[in-house]
């Protein structure tokens, strides 16, 4: 696995600090360690660049608490690692002393690559590259969490690789054939067959992104039902969904609950797709599930 490039970003304010710079072949690590007191763990935030299997540089931010375990957060469709749900969840887990890594999928945010409409399994492979990197550093990726499309990605990852025991699906879509007409128009099949693509425009008429026929077919061929049936029974999955989700119906969450073997469901009453007014409840639900699952793993390993 190619070495990652790492630079640090620092959380403030702090009382005391120490700074060090470490140079290694093909990598540079610049870190600044801070602590409020001798009783609290040192926390560092490191900007990291990790290549995927296509050689594209994936950019992420590591919230380093020096825990052996790491939770990886995956953003949604046309989103990024700095989306408020990602940053709030990272902060909540960080407070529990759990290291967190949030990153941009290829073609999104700061990462290299071109944006594609489908790419569900390709993004699962991006996630695999991240997990492989940390495994190579003798770290344990204990849980993965995804919001919206990221929820689909973490479930597809669990189905394909079967090497994790804790997965959190926040507002993922069960039936990927739904929701297309709302973005592309009711006659999207006819148009894309005729023109080979559809340009999705914003309110001012500017092109936001292009959907190719290949990308559309990639989405239509991605079967969440079949994938979820293949998730290992030892893998604990939490699905969180807002009852007032205006993008993906809460019914999708109920479908996940029917087919995933080891599953918990939490419906957040009144929450929309972005959890605009329910960020605190979302974070509390996620942190409780992950910390409880980690504690169960520690007990069972004794």
């Amino acid at each position: 696995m190619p070495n990652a490039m790492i630079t640090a970003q620092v959380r403030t304010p702090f009382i005391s600090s120490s700074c060090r710079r470490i140079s290694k072949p093909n990598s540079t690590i610049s870190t600044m360690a801070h602590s409020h007191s001798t009783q609290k763990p040192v926390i560092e935030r490191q900007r990291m660049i990790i290549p995927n299997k296509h050689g594209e540089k994936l950019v992420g931010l590591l919230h380093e608490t020096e825990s052996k375990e790491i939770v990886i957060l995956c953003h949604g469709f046309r989103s990024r690692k700095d989306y408020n749900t990602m940053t709030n969840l990272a902060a909540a887990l960080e407070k529990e002393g759990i290291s967190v890594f949030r990153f941009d999928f290829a073609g999104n945010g700061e990462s290299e690559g071109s944006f594609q409409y489908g790419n569900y399994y390709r993004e699962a492979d991006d996630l695999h590259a991240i997990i492989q990197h940390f495994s190579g550093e003798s770290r344990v990726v204990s849980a993965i969490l995804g919001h919206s499309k990221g929820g689909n990605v973490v479930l597809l990852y669990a189905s394909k690789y079967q090497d994790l025991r804790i997965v959190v699906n926040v507002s993922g879509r069960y039936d990927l054939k739904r929701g297309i007409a709302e973005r592309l128009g009711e006659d999207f099949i006819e148009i894309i067959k005729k023109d080979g693509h559809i340009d999705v425009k914003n309110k001012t008429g500017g092109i936001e992104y292009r959907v190719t026929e290949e990308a559309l077919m990639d989405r239509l061929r991605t079967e969440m039902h079949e994938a979820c049936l293949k998730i290992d029974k030892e893998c604990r999955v939490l699905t969180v969904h807002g009852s007032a989700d205006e993008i993906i119906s809460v019914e999708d969450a109920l479908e996940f609950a029917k087919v995933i073997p080891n599953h918990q469901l939490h419906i957040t009453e009144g929450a929309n797709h972005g959890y605009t007014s329910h960020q605190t409840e979302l974070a509390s639900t996620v942190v409780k599930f992950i910390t409880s699952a980690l504690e169960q793993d520690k007990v069972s390993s004794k």
Side-chain angles (χ1 to χ4, degrees):
M1 171 61 62
N3 290 326
M5 295 173 59
I6 306 175
T7 58
Q9 295 185 353
V10 182
R11 178 169 150 176
T12 55
F14 294 99
I15 295 175
S16 62
S17 69
S18 62
C19 184
R20 65 187 185 277
R21 184 176 180 86
I22 306 169
S23 293
K24 296 181 180 180
N26 300 321
S27 67
T28 300
I29 305 173
S30 177
T31 64
M32 187 171 286
H34 297 258
S35 63
H36 287 92
S37 71
T38 57
Q39 295 180 337
K40 289 191 176 183
V42 172
I43 296 174
E44 298 170 353
R45 294 192 180 174
Q46 301 171 351
R47 184 177 183 272
M48 302 179 65
I49 300 173
I50 300 173
N52 65 13
K53 71 176 186 179
H54 304 285
E56 296 163 333
K57 295 175 181 177
L58 305 177
V59 180
L61 192 68
L62 174 65
H63 299 242
E64 178 64 271
T65 68
E66 298 186 352
S67 66
K68 187 175 182 180
E69 297 86 3
I70 295 177
V71 176
I72 298 179
L73 306 183
C74 301
H75 65 75
F77 179 75
R78 286 183 57 77
S79 188
R80 56 189 298 152
K81 65 184 178 300
D82 297 325
Y83 178 58
N84 67 326
T85 296
M86 298 291 100
T87 58
N88 289 339
L89 289 173
L93 289 162
E94 185 182 78
K95 287 180 181 178
E96 296 297 319
I98 300 172
S99 294
V100 180
F101 186 71
R102 50 189 171 93
F103 73 102
D104 295 323
F105 286 112
N108 293 269
E110 294 183 280
S111 292
E112 291 182 344
S114 59
F115 171 79
Q116 297 293 332
Y117 179 72
N119 270 12
Y120 287 84
Y121 275 105
R122 199 177 193 276
E123 291 190 356
D125 289 341
D126 280 358
L127 177 55
H128 186 237
I130 300 295
I131 291 173
Q132 280 187 312
H133 169 78
F134 284 113
S135 297
E137 296 292 321
S138 299
R139 302 293 292 270
V140 177
V141 176
S142 55
I144 52 178
L145 176 151
H147 172 248
S148 194
K149 184 185 180 185
N152 290 90
V153 171
V154 297
L155 292 173
L156 292 172
Y157 179 93
S159 172
K160 181 176 180 178
Y161 292 101
Q162 300 190 345
D163 57 359
L164 287 176
R165 294 169 60 90
I166 306 171
V167 175
V168 182
N169 160 37
V170 180
S171 305
R173 188 183 292 278
Y174 178 77
D175 186 351
L176 293 175
K177 295 179 179 63
R178 297 179 192 155
I180 299 175
E182 287 84 347
R183 290 186 189 270
L184 307 185
E186 294 294 338
D187 54 351
F188 66 90
I189 289 289
E190 290 80 1
I191 293 175
I192 212 161
K193 289 290 184 184
K194 173 177 171 286
D195 299 334
H197 67 269
I198 295 175
D199 289 329
V200 178
K201 299 180 180 181
N202 57 29
K203 293 179 180 179
T204 62
I207 297 175
E208 287 195 3
Y209 58 93
R210 172 167 289 188
V211 180
T212 63
E213 183 176 357
E214 180 183 4
L216 176 62
M217 292 304 111
D218 177 87
R219 171 166 171 158
L220 293 174
R221 285 193 300 265
T222 304
E223 291 285 347
M224 294 307 301
H225 178 86
E226 295 303 320
C228 288
L229 291 174
K230 296 176 184 176
I231 295 175
D232 191 278
K233 293 180 181 178
E234 296 300 313
C235 178
R236 284 157 289 190
V237 178
L238 169 68
T239 291
V240 186
H241 212 106
S243 66
D245 193 318
E246 74 285 13
I247 305 295
I248 301 174
S249 170
V250 70
E251 297 297 323
D252 285 50
L254 303 180
E255 293 299 321
F256 281 125
K258 293 176 184 176
V259 297
I260 296 175
N262 189 349
H263 187 269
Q264 290 185 35
L265 174 63
H266 180 89
I267 304 299
T268 305
E269 289 298 326
N272 62 8
H273 191 65
Y275 295 83
T276 306
S277 302
H278 296 79
Q279 288 285 312
T280 301
E281 183 178 346
L282 173 63
S284 175
T285 301
V286 166
V287 168
K288 181 179 179 181
F289 176 79
I290 290 177
T291 54
S292 175
L294 289 174
E295 190 60 36
Q296 289 175 35
D297 284 345
K298 289 179 182 178
V299 171
S300 62
S301 65
K302 290 182 179 178

